[in-house]
């Protein structure tokens, strides 16, 4: 056994060394860092740690003109101007970070040759030309490598949804002037549950989750659960008035109710789960409460630490927690659980006492026989369905979970669509400019990259085939010679932005929505989309 272990360790070291040598090539490093998955990730991460300098920044409109106001035409120019704006002109974007190499004009004058010797993805340049994009920069000696910063896209989407909340409320019916404060300005009742609707936007709001056109969040002090009704207003579902109690996570369910996890300061295992249905409150898991002396009673309630509460993708919720014998007790052997809180109210025990993990968007990761490899499961109705076994035992890379279906990249770097019953391999993930899963889970929209070498296609350099994949069949809708941004599918309709307008496909019917200087961002269940622009939400809904 020791010899076998030694051989395996030696093979692993050789493989990591090989990928590390490959990562010294700027193109290999840039593409690998952007789509880092599988064992090759180790070599790429080791290479990134040897960079002489690395920083993240945002290429915005400020970086697309020089100091005299003349437009710049390339990502090289944008990156140089970005550093000049940061170090010299005081025009840094709020998301820009500093560096120690390009602080002077002389140092920045050498950036062009460093970029020429390095690499950046042509798609990154296209994105930068058409909008705002996050960039991660690495400097290795006289070589500069730039790759897209995917975490910026995620934070931008969250900020965009918060702005959409405010914009959608402002678009609602005009209200008569009132001398009352915004929080006291009671308005007509929200649908169904006797809630007091406040027509003004909530300025005390942290976005957590949206479902079926409604949005839920918590107040900045983590004492209130706030639900937003777009076009109408917002309401406070719950206010925590007990001292040392804080609202941690919150998720919307398909029936319009919400789940909130509540934690108690000073007790690491005293977490509770509360269901909020309008003004009705039901404790699903109620943790122990301290007595008047601040001491937690033993064994009087469930003693669990809620590690994650996340949506399942179909209007239910998943909860990962660890249960202990008594409050603040980590001495006894704990039990590990993942439960499904179905929107009907039923609680279903899915997994117990296994190596478990739960993703942000419904990915359940379970060890097989207590060790690697791991299996991935998705929720369909009231059950968990196993759809993929992972050699690495990690969360899926950029996976989308919608209505029991999944779009993900596997260990081999292929884009795979699980339609609820079987997996469809769509090809290498690097061969697609864009990919999006419909909220219904029934259809995938694709923008496949082709080149001048592609047989049967008239294309100069890079072109893109717009495809719709459904029922195991792929339908090519069009070929675009320019790159697009804001690729979205809503109820089978595909939308993307080009040339200051929105191109849409309903079936094979093509429509061009002119005059919208924005990009599709949020799909709606009626088949339309909410738009995004560089400086926030474009307050219009567009589509078929």
């Amino acid at each position: 056994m020791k010899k076998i272990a030694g051989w395996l360790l030696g093979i692993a070291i050789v493989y990591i060394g090989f990928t590390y040598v490959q990562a010294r090539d700027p193109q290999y490093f840039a593409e690998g860092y952007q789509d880092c998955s599988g064992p090759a990730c180790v070599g790429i991460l080791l290479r990134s740690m040897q960079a002489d300098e690395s920083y993240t920044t945002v290429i915005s409109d400020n970086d697309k003109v020089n100091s005299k106001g003349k437009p710049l035409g390339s990502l090289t120019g944008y990156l140089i101007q970005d550093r000049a704006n940061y170090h010299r002109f005081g025009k840094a974007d709020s998301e820009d970070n500093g560096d120690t190499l390009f602080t002077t004009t002389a140092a920045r004058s050498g950036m062009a040759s460093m970029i020429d010797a390095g690499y950046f993805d042509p798609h990154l340049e296209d994105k930068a030309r058409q909008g705002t994009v996050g960039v991660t920069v690495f400097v290795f000696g006289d070589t500069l490598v730039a790759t897209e910063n995917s975490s910026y896209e995620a934070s931008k989407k969250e900020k965009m949804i918060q702005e959409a909340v405010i914009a959608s409320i402002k678009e609602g019916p005009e209200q008569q002037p009132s001398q009352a404060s915004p929080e006291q300005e009671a308005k007509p009742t929200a649908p169904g549950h006797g809630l007091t609707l406040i027509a003004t936007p909530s300025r005390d709001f942290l976005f957590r989750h949206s479902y079926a056109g409604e949005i839920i969040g918590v107040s900045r002090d983590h004492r209130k659960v706030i639900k937003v009704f777009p076009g109408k207003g917002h309401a406070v579902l719950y206010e925590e008035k007990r001292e040392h109690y804080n609202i941690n996570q919150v998720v919307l369910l398909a029936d319009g109710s919400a789940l909130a996890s509540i934690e108690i300061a000073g007790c690491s295992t005293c977490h509770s789960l509360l269901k909020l249905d309008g003004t009705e409150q039901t404790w699903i898991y109620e943790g122990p409460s301290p007595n008047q002396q601040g001491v937690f009673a033993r064994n009087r309630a469930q003693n669990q630490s809620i590690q994650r509460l996340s949506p399942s993708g179909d209007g239910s919720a998943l909860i990962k927690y660890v249960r202990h014998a008594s409050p603040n007790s980590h001495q006894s052997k704990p039990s590990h659980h993942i439960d499904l809180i179905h929107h009907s109210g039923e609680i279903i025990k899915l997994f117990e006492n296994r190596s478990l993990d739960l993703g942000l968007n419904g990915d359940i990761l379970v060890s097989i026989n207590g060790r690697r490899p791991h299996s991935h499961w998705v929720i369909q109705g009231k059950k968990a369905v196993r759809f993929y076994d992972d050699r690495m035992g990690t969360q899926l890379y950029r996976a989308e979970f919608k209505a029991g279906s999944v779009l993900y990249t596997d260990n081999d770097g292929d884009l795979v669509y699980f339609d609820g019953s079987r997996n469809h391999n769509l090809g290498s993930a690097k061969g697609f400019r864009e990919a999006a899963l419909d909220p219904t889970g029934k259809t995938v929209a694709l923008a496949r990259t082709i080149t001048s070498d592609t047989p049967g296609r008239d294309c100069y350099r890079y072109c893109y085939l717009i495809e719709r994949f459904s029922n195991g069949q792929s339908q090519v809708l069009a070929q675009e010679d320019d790159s697009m941004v804001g690729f979205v599918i809503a109820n089978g309709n595909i939308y993307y932005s080009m040339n200051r307008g929105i191109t849409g496909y309903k079936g094979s019917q093509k429509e061009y929505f002119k005059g919208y200087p924005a990009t599709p961002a949020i799909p709606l269940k009626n088949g339309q989309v909410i738009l995004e622009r560089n400086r926030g939400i474009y307050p219009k809904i567009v589509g078929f």
Side-chain angles (χ1 to χ4, degrees):
M1 290 297 294
K2 290 184 177 180
K3 287 185 177 180
I4 294 175
W7 290 339
L8 292 175
L9 179 61
I11 292 171
I13 293 173
V14 170
Y15 181 77
I16 292 171
F18 176 72
T19 57
Y20 170 76
V21 172
Q22 282 187 303
R24 295 179 68 86
D25 175 71
Q27 181 173 350
Y28 182 91
F29 175 82
E31 294 176 349
Y33 189 86
Q34 176 64 27
D35 299 318
C36 197
S37 61
C41 229
V42 178
I44 291 169
L45 292 177
L46 285 174
R47 176 60 176 163
S48 70
M49 294 170 64
Q50 291 193 325
D52 297 315
E53 179 68 88
S54 64
Y55 62 91
T56 58
T57 190
V58 171
I59 301 301
S60 66
D61 289 345
N62 288 336
D63 308 314
K64 298 176 186 178
V65 294
N66 64 18
S67 58
K68 297 181 180 179
K70 183 180 178 180
L72 301 170
S74 68
L75 182 59
T76 297
Y78 301 160
L79 290 170
I80 297 171
Q81 189 63 40
D82 168 77
R83 294 296 86 190
N85 286 339
Y86 186 91
H87 292 294
R88 182 179 179 185
F89 298 114
K91 296 180 180 179
D93 297 298
S94 59
E95 299 89 351
D96 288 354
N97 288 306
D99 68 276
T100 59
L101 288 183
F102 305 120
T103 57
T104 65
T105 303
R108 291 189 293 272
S109 66
M111 285 184 70
S113 61
M114 297 172 71
I115 294 171
D116 288 341
Y119 179 80
F120 59 78
D121 192 329
H123 295 156
L124 179 60
E125 185 167 47
D126 292 338
K127 279 192 173 183
R129 283 186 176 134
Q130 298 189 44
T132 301
V133 65
V135 179
T136 302
V137 174
F138 295 91
V139 178
F140 303 95
D142 295 330
T143 302
L144 187 149
V145 177
T147 184
E148 185 174 359
N149 180 11
S150 56
S151 62
Y152 168 73
E153 291 298 319
S155 63
K156 186 173 75 169
K157 180 62 69 68
E158 180 168 326
K159 181 180 179 181
M160 179 189 63
I161 293 176
Q162 287 192 238
E163 291 175 347
V165 172
I166 297 174
S168 64
I169 297 174
K170 288 181 177 178
E171 290 290 309
E174 292 186 5
Q175 305 295 331
Q176 295 297 321
S178 172
Q179 299 300 317
S181 67
E183 296 296 332
Q184 295 172 334
E185 192 174 2
K187 295 298 175 184
T189 302
H193 296 290
L195 292 172
T196 299
L197 193 67
I198 302 168
T200 53
S202 174
R203 296 174 176 83
D204 181 25
F205 184 82
L206 295 173
F207 169 73
R208 285 294 181 267
H209 182 223
S210 63
Y211 184 83
E214 294 181 345
I215 300 168
I216 199 81
V218 297
S219 59
R220 297 183 185 279
D221 61 0
H222 293 270
R223 306 287 285 176
K224 298 177 183 176
V225 176
I226 300 171
K227 185 176 181 180
V228 174
F229 302 88
K232 300 182 179 70
H234 75 278
V236 177
L237 299 189
Y238 175 76
E239 183 174 2
E240 181 56 75
K241 297 182 179 179
R242 296 173 294 180
E243 189 177 4
H244 305 307
Y245 285 68
N246 293 311
I247 301 163
N248 189 12
Q249 303 169 76
V250 62
V251 168
L252 270 174
L253 302 182
D255 62 356
S257 63
L259 291 176
S261 66
I262 299 174
E263 59 185 9
I264 308 173
C267 183
S268 60
T269 64
C270 301
H271 292 195
S272 305
L273 187 65
L274 176 64
K275 184 175 182 180
L276 303 167
D277 190 5
T279 56
E280 298 180 9
Q281 302 171 7
T282 305
W283 292 100
I284 295 177
Y285 304 131
E286 186 169 8
S289 300
N291 59 23
Q292 293 180 351
Q293 289 74 40
V295 178
F296 292 93
R298 297 175 63 87
N299 299 323
R300 290 187 54 190
Q302 296 166 335
N303 305 291
Q304 69 270 326
S305 54
I306 296 177
Q307 297 177 329
R308 180 161 289 170
L309 175 66
S310 64
S312 70
D314 65 349
S316 296
L318 290 161
I319 179 172
K320 174 189 174 183
Y321 61 96
V322 179
R323 183 161 290 165
H324 302 267
S326 59
N328 270 334
S329 171
H330 298 278
Q331 304 301 320
S332 60
K333 185 177 180 180
S335 58
H336 299 261
H337 305 258
I338 288 183
D339 291 356
L340 170 65
I341 315 296
H342 193 261
H343 54 74
S344 66
E346 185 176 354
I347 302 175
I348 301 164
K349 305 293 183 181
L350 295 180
F351 302 97
E352 181 177 352
N353 287 334
R354 304 280 292 275
S355 176
L356 307 171
D357 204 356
L358 186 59
L360 294 175
N361 298 307
D363 178 19
I364 307 171
L365 188 65
V366 183
S367 69
I368 300 175
N369 298 326
R371 58 182 68 184
R372 293 181 179 175
H374 287 65
S375 59
H376 292 266
W377 302 66
V378 63
I379 294 300
Q380 292 180 358
K382 296 184 179 181
K383 63 181 181 179
V385 176
R386 181 173 168 178
F387 66 91
Y388 176 59
D389 288 340
D390 183 351
R391 298 193 302 267
M392 299 301 298
T394 57
Q395 293 292 336
L396 295 175
Y397 178 70
R398 292 187 178 181
E400 291 187 65
F401 294 81
K402 303 288 178 62
S405 298
V406 190
L407 184 65
Y408 66 98
T409 301
D410 66 12
N411 286 146
D412 298 320
D414 291 335
L415 185 67
V416 182
Y417 166 49
F418 177 70
D419 63 5
S421 59
R422 60 178 289 234
N423 283 299
H424 302 270
N425 191 311
L426 304 178
S428 172
K430 293 182 180 180
F432 295 96
R433 174 71 170 82
E434 302 283 355
L437 178 61
D438 194 291
T440 64
K442 298 178 180 179
T443 310
V444 176
L446 302 164
R448 187 186 300 270
T449 304
I450 61 174
T451 67
S452 55
D453 298 328
T454 303
R457 290 288 172 181
D458 182 16
C459 174
Y460 174 71
R461 290 192 66 196
Y462 292 100
C463 300
Y464 309 96
L465 296 182
I466 309 302
E467 302 177 23
R468 182 189 288 112
F469 187 92
S470 182
N471 297 320
Q473 300 292 324
S474 181
Q475 176 190 13
V476 177
L477 301 175
Q479 176 179 319
E480 297 287 3
D481 295 332
D482 295 319
S483 61
M484 69 292 298
V485 291
F487 198 76
V488 169
I489 182 168
N491 200 20
N493 301 333
I494 299 175
Y495 301 92
Y496 51 89
S497 177
M498 291 181 66
N499 303 320
R500 297 184 65 83
I502 309 298
T503 300
Y505 284 94
K506 183 177 183 180
S508 58
Q509 174 192 350
K510 180 179 181 179
E511 186 73 34
Y512 187 68
F513 304 93
K514 297 181 179 179
Y516 292 99
T519 58
I522 304 174
L524 301 176
K525 60 182 178 180
N526 65 357
Q528 297 181 319
V529 290
I530 294 176
L531 303 183
E532 171 199 7
R533 59 184 175 187
N534 286 346
R535 293 184 175 86
I537 288 296
Y538 190 80
K540 297 290 182 183
I541 295 175
V542 173
F544 295 98

